[in-house]
Amino acid sequence: MNTKRLMLGNEALAYGLLKNGCQMAYAYPGTPSSEILSAVVALKKEMDLDIHAQWAVNEKVAFETAYAGAQAGLRTAVAMKQVGLNVAADPLMSSVYLGVKGGFVVISADDPGPHSSQTEQDSRLMAVMAKLPVLDPDSPRQAAELAGIAFELSEAFEIPVMLRPTTRVCHSRQSMDVEKIEMTQREAAFEKNPGRWAATPKFRLQLHKELEVKLAKIADYEPTRPRLVSGTAKGGGQAIVLSGVAAANARDIIKERNLDIPVYQVVQPFPLHKEFIKEMDTYDEILVLEETWGVIEMQLADKNRVKGKNTGFISPTGELLPENVEERICAFVGVDYQAPQITMLPGRRPTLCAGCSHRASFYAIKKAAPKGIFTSDIGCYTLGCNLGAVDTVTCMGAGISQAAGFTIAYAKNEKQPPVFSTIGDSTFFHSGIPGLIETVTKKIPYVLVILDNRTTAMTGHQPTPASGRDASGDACIAVNIPDIVKGCGVNFIKTADPYDLPAFINILKEAKAYCQENGPAVVIAEHPCLLDMDRAELKASFKKVIVNRDICDGCGYCVSQFECPALSMDNETEQVCIDPGLCTGCAVCSFVCPKGALVLENQE
Amino acid sequence: MSNNQQIIISGLGGQGVLFITKLLAGAAMADNLPVLTSETHGMAQRGGNVISYLKIGDFSGPLIRPAKADALIALKAESFAHHSYFLKPGGLAVVNSPDPVEDDRYRVFYGDATALAEAAGNVRSENVAMLGFFLSAMKEDSHVFNPDSLARMIKETFQAKPAVATNVLSLLGSGMQLYKQR
């Protein structure tokens, strides 16, 4: 079975892992990494492979689970996005000291740009801090190749290896050859060695010394040596050093412009190969193109000869788009560059889908607490900021702890604003629970609204622990959110469907009154994500809303305050109109119009 | 690099930009051409402007530079306004719009794919109608995309739903006709 396929970078990564004997894979979804585990599961089914692949409740748990497999001698992998690695930073730092037996690949997908992230942080710097080797693929094909090299490197030195793709690798598709995967199964064989696996601080110093020796050897490791990808190595004059997707972009431009200059691609940005550093000493001027920070550049360390991120020659922020790469290469080698005329228009901002129940929840929160402070975090519901119902977005789970923080900060003020915190179901499991426990014990007055749409919607509908299905779609034990909330010590717990807007607003008001005296009140807004519902289900629940032309005075309240994509102002009639292609028939807007101009068709 | 093609597909989140990119990529692969595409996921997929890059031939980088694209498929008139700067001078643009779209820097053709899809009873297939429109327009330029390979791709995609495949194929045909009758 040899076929050509158009593979997403994340699929290519999954293929590379499985092709090289990965037996356990764990992940928590996060754009741009989310499709890696889904692809592992899809390939497992397609090729009937005996491997274990699951979503974990968060990145720390995913990391620790996969790591134990590697301690027991299997080849394993864990996948997450760059901010997910922050969550898993604790086990990451420690696992590098302790090392592995089987190959362990830590995939952290970075998001220069940033297209779907809170930060542009460079995971390679985390690798520098943790002192583990990191590989930097430039394309789906190279991602698959480096997955294999990562396992070999990991086993050769008994060290976890980071693989760091970026958005343009994860979410590019490339035609590539796919072969049938033949698994060679290993049996878990954990060798007890408390001196190593449970080392006390005294021994950690020794482990750190050993790690330094390993790193020095890895800086000489043949398979990850920088590659001369264009021109001839000659020393003197100029050279270009590339990594990641910047390497792919630059290669096209160098070829197109016929530039005669030695070009090196670094696939292992840390530790940078010692021989390569020496070779670079022979050049007078070096341009380093890498995303996002100057990790290679700082190891070359000569500011007088090396131009890049750290010297200000390359912008420290944003993606290295091919046009930026072209412009900078031209500036470096001294050839003319004509910048094309670009007129950038603002464009439509992302918004909650038409009919999304989060919109109803946010609208209700604003109604229940017009002068409230609204803490939230990461998910589709971040888009509640468009509706003025999300004031803070820091990181997963932070909304709950910040609710406590705002309450405490305002304690000495004459008036205390009500604090409402929103969190998605998946994020609640990920990192919301410890914060909730904290606020219960301190009796913090705030309302937590858990937006339970039964899925991890933003990243592509991965199951949550409440879903009752696992990564393969098979049934598994479902964890009940109200039970957890109760177990955390909360006494006010109400579940309701935000589509019934007036009732939902009342429950929020009740919760607000309750929390003042008793500490946290929790309301669970329960409605499935519409993208998970089949068409028949949607059709059955469709309620047609029409605009009563006699009443609508074109005030635009519904458009600006409810911001449903299906509602817009008609310039000709100067009244609101409903786009039948977008409307899902949720009918929540019928509660929103203050004049009663949006009415159910059969009740006009 | 004579056979190389760089194509921008632009629309709004949920309009099926990635779907038609995949169909075009699959058709090129059926002709044994190397393919590289790049797309947006996550937050941008929620109703915002979505762009996808399709590169066929000898390329390493997944993105297309401004003023380098051979063609642009705009699934909304506003998509053309947003992303026409990717086109090279004289590049081909097809725009889903009932009203004329003009720009003398490029060769622009417009057609109301939404109305076609609505008439066929599925407004969500406007992307496929637009793809058909594009195929006809491209035919005068080159022979990179083989309509038969595209039809095969559509049949494969909707293997489990032959009725859907028939509808999609029929809309693809209507889109091609729309260009010819313009």
Side-chain angles (χ1 to χ4, degrees), chain A residues 206-401:
Chain A
Q206 183 55 33
L207 288 171
H208 190 183
K209 284 178 185 163
E210 287 167 19
L211 173 58
E212 292 299 330
V213 174
K214 277 186 197 177
L215 278 178
K217 285 184 186 156
I218 294 169
D220 247 345
Y221 187 61
E222 187 59 35
T224 56
R225 191 175 292 282
R227 304 163 179 186
L228 185 73
V229 290
S230 174
T232 40
K234 52 190 176 210
Q238 295 185 314
I240 298 178
V241 176
L242 312 162
S243 87
V245 83
N249 289 329
R251 279 206 306 278
D252 283 344
I253 288 153
I254 286 157
K255 191 162 66 181
E256 192 184 304
R257 288 186 169 262
N258 243 330
L259 297 176
D260 180 25
I261 185 168
V263 178
Y264 297 85
Q265 182 181 7
V266 172
V267 293
Q268 180 184 290
F270 180 81
L272 198 56
H273 281 68
K274 284 188 292 242
E275 288 296 322
F276 177 72
I277 295 173
K278 270 190 212 152
E279 190 176 347
M280 287 303 102
D281 275 342
T282 65
Y283 288 100
D284 300 330
E285 217 181 4
I286 301 154
L287 171 66
V288 186
L289 291 167
E290 58 186 319
E291 283 179 323
T292 312
W293 189 233
V295 172
I296 298 167
E297 186 188 346
M298 79 189 175
Q299 293 170 88
L300 293 174
D302 184 344
K303 280 200 168 63
N304 296 317
R305 292 184 305 115
V306 182
K307 291 184 167 177
K309 293 260 182 182
N310 304 348
T311 63
F313 191 75
I314 306 289
S315 167
T317 60
E319 230 182 326
L320 267 181
L321 295 169
E323 53 267 38
N324 311 133
V325 169
E326 182 175 26
E327 194 269 325
R328 289 287 82 191
I329 288 177
C330 290
F332 178 68
V333 300
V335 297
D336 270 351
Y337 174 76
Q338 216 55 34
Q341 290 291 314
I342 300 174
T343 37
M344 285 282 193
L345 299 172
R348 292 197 192 185
R349 60 182 180 184
T351 180
L352 292 168
C353 303
C356 176
S357 64
H358 295 346
R359 177 178 288 102
S361 296
F362 284 127
Y363 186 80
I365 290 170
K366 275 196 299 184
K367 284 284 157 189
K371 290 185 178 156
I373 290 178
F374 308 126
T375 62
S376 190
D377 54 47
I378 316 301
C380 285
Y381 54 98
T382 300
L383 294 166
C385 56
N386 290 358
L387 293 153
V390 166
D391 296 323
T392 68
V393 175
T394 306
C395 65
M396 299 277 281
I400 296 181
S401 328

Side-chain angles (χ1 to χ4, degrees), chain A residues 11-82:
Chain A
E11 290 168 350
L13 265 167
Y15 173 73
L17 292 174
L18 295 179
K19 184 92 192 130
N20 289 284
C22 178
Q23 282 178 261
M24 278 171 71
Y26 265 84
Y28 183 80
T31 311
S33 75
S34 310
E35 297 81 6
I36 298 169
L37 192 92
S38 322
V40 167
V41 171
L43 286 168
K44 166 191 157 103
K45 282 186 182 167
E46 182 196 326
M47 300 192 184
D48 194 24
L49 305 173
D50 183 15
I51 61 135
H52 183 87
Q54 287 298 347
W55 294 109
V57 70
N58 66 25
E59 294 85 354
K60 181 176 186 290
V61 172
F63 188 106
E64 290 156 352
T65 312
Y67 175 56
Q71 286 179 305
L74 306 184
R75 286 192 166 184
T76 72
V78 62
M80 63 202 77
K81 70 181 296 181
Q82 88 282 28

